[in-house]
């Protein structure tokens, strides 16, 4: 039994005449009569009474047609669902990210993606770079945004492109002695209690600080650990010490705080977007299209690595 048999039976029930039904279907009458007869043999019951007044469903036919309508509706819905999934309009996207990515560029990217792909289920997980890399390699994430290019086992299977550049800045309470200064230097930092991310969460950042302040710096050893930039800023506002973090913190000013540049200028690892090189799922492609639109430089890097995206109807433009 095929879908066309269901359509033929429904057309015959609607038009109550083989000739009219055949005309509506765009086929000749004899093939329609044969298909209905074949269907009745397969079902094992007479589905239509052929009378002088017309062709009408039997009780068995009425029961069959009710199911046939639902079956055809499901087939149509299945085709629509398949097409939407192929265009990345449905599905699931699992994204792991560090907290500072919520300052830039994630708000605009996620906002646009949500508006353009409202039926894609976003699963968002804030996590440190090393954890998101491991989850991405293990197939537990579709996309990861962290600091620096992924390293370790499986990193060679990832596509990674920078989506943001950062350098080190300091944040202090507005009542701190450094408040009002344009910058602070290394000697000043060594004389103050520091607030920074833990080594196990962001090793690349801590490595940079060791290079700046000295590998065995007592200031680093006794630093207050904060797992996200908002906590770093909050603790600085409370007067706990000098918070150190990425320059993206400048986009999140808080009352009662003051930001200073750190001299010498200290670049931090790039903010990097990564995904499995073999993953070309439509939902991921749709997300990358939004990245291309919102971050043209990143789009150019993606196109260099992957080639220009194949545009389909409904793609982000």
């Amino acid at each position: 039994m095929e879908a066309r048999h269901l359509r033929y039976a429904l057309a015959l029930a609607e038009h109550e005449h083989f000739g009219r039904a055949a005309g509506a279907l765009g086929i000749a009458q004899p093939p329609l009569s044969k298909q209905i007869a074949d269907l009745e043999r397969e079902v094992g019951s007479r589905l239509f009474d052929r009378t002088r007044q017309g062709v009408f469903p039997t009780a068995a036919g009425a029961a069959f047609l009710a199911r046939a309508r639902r079956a055809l509706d499901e087939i149509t819905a299945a085709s629509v669902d398949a097409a939407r999934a192929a265009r990345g309009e449905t599905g699931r996207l699992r994204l792991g990210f560090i907290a500072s990515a919520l300052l830039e560029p994630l708000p605009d990217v996620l906002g646009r993606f949500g508006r353009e792909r409202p039926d894609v289920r976003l699963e968002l997980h804030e996590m440190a770079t090393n954890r998101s890399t491991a989850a991405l390699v293990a197939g537990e994430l579709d996309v990861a945004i962290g600091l620096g290019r992924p390293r370790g086992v499986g990193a060679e299977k990832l596509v990674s492109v920078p989506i943001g550049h950062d350098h080190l800045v300091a944040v202090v309470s507005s009542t701190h002695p450094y408040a009002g200064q344009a910058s602070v230097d290394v000697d000043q930092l060594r004389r103050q209690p520091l607030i920074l991310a833990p080594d196990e969460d962001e090793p690349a950042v801590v490595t940079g600080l060791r290079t700046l302040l000295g590998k065995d710096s007592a200031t680093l050893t006794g630093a207050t650990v904060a797992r996200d930039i908002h906590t770093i800023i909050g603790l600085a506002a409370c007067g706990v010490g000098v918070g150190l973090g990425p320059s993206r913190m400048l986009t999140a000013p808080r009352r009662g705080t003051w930001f200073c540049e750190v001299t010498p200028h200290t670049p931090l690892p790039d903010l990097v977007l990564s995904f499995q090189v073999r993953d070309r799922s439509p939902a991921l492609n749709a997300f990358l299209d939004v990245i291309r639109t919102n971050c043209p430089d990143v789009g150019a890097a993606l196109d260099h690595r992957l080639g220009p995206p194949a545009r389909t109807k409904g793609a982000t433009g």
Side-chain angles (χ1 to χ4, degrees), residues 195-256:
I195 310 162
L196 45 87
D199 192 356
E200 65 271 19
D201 281 359
E202 301 301 344
V205 173
V206 177
T207 297
L209 289 173
R210 288 193 181 120
T211 301
L212 179 69
L213 299 174
K215 183 173 65 173
D216 300 320
S217 170
T219 308
L220 285 178
T221 304
T224 297
V225 171
R227 294 193 174 275
D228 64 67
I229 56 169
H230 302 289
T231 306
I232 291 175
I233 296 172
L235 290 174
C238 294
V240 171
V242 178
L244 293 174
S247 52
R248 278 192 305 283
M249 291 198 305
L250 298 172
T251 65
R254 173 174 172 158
R255 185 179 178 182

Side-chain angles (χ1 to χ4, degrees), residues 86-87 117 275 280-293 295-296 298-317:
R87 293 193 299 266
R117 310 285 173 162
F275 53 92
R280 306 306 296 147
S281 71
L284 174 60
N285 284 338
F287 184 77
L288 296 180
D289 274 350
V290 172
I291 291 285
R292 286 182 172 95
T293 301
C295 314
V298 180
L302 284 171
D303 292 348
H304 178 72
R305 291 293 305 274
L306 305 174
R311 297 294 178 181
T312 59
K313 186 176 180 182
T316 302

Side-chain angles (χ1 to χ4, degrees), residues 8 11 15 18-29 31-32:
Y8 290 170
H15 293 283
F18 275 101
R20 290 193 296 270
L25 292 166
I27 61 175
Q29 180 175 332
L32 175 61

Side-chain angles (χ1 to χ4, degrees), residues 117-302:
R117 310 285 173 162
D119 294 326
V120 174
R121 187 170 78 256
L122 270 174
E123 296 182 5
L124 304 175
H125 307 275
E126 181 192 343
M127 55 180 65
T129 300
N130 57 352
R131 289 181 53 219
S132 65
T133 297
L136 188 60
V137 170
E140 298 166 0
L141 292 176
D142 303 303
V143 186
I145 297 177
L147 288 178
R149 290 189 177 275
R151 297 179 180 180
V153 178
E156 73 281 357
K157 300 177 182 179
L158 305 179
V159 175
S160 299
V161 294
I163 60 173
H165 308 289
D166 266 319
H167 63 276
L168 190 67
V169 298
V171 57
V172 296
S173 164
S174 57
T175 60
H176 192 279
Y178 297 166
Q181 295 183 189
S183 64
V184 294
D185 60 30
V186 173
D187 287 338
Q188 289 176 306
L189 292 178
R190 288 193 181 115
R191 295 196 298 267
Q192 295 289 324
L194 301 182
I195 310 162
L196 45 87
D199 192 356
E200 65 271 19
D201 281 359
E202 301 301 344
V205 173
V206 177
T207 297
L209 289 173
R210 288 193 181 120
T211 301
L212 179 69
L213 299 174
K215 183 173 65 173
D216 300 320
S217 170
T219 308
L220 285 178
T221 304
T224 297
V225 171
R227 294 193 174 275
D228 64 67
I229 56 169
H230 302 289
T231 306
I232 291 175
I233 296 172
L235 290 174
C238 294
V240 171
V242 178
L244 293 174
S247 52
R248 278 192 305 283
M249 291 198 305
L250 298 172
T251 65
R254 173 174 172 158
R255 185 179 178 182
T257 60
W258 179 269
F259 287 92
C260 308
E261 294 291 332
V262 173
T263 57
H265 180 83
T266 304
L268 292 179
D270 288 337
L271 192 67
V272 173
L273 177 145
S274 303
F275 53 92
Q276 290 273 7
V277 68
R278 67 175 182 270
D279 185 355
R280 306 306 296 147
S281 71
L284 174 60
N285 284 338
F287 184 77
L288 296 180
D289 274 350
V290 172
I291 291 285
R292 286 182 172 95
T293 301
N294 275 47
C295 314
D297 292 344
V298 180
L302 284 171

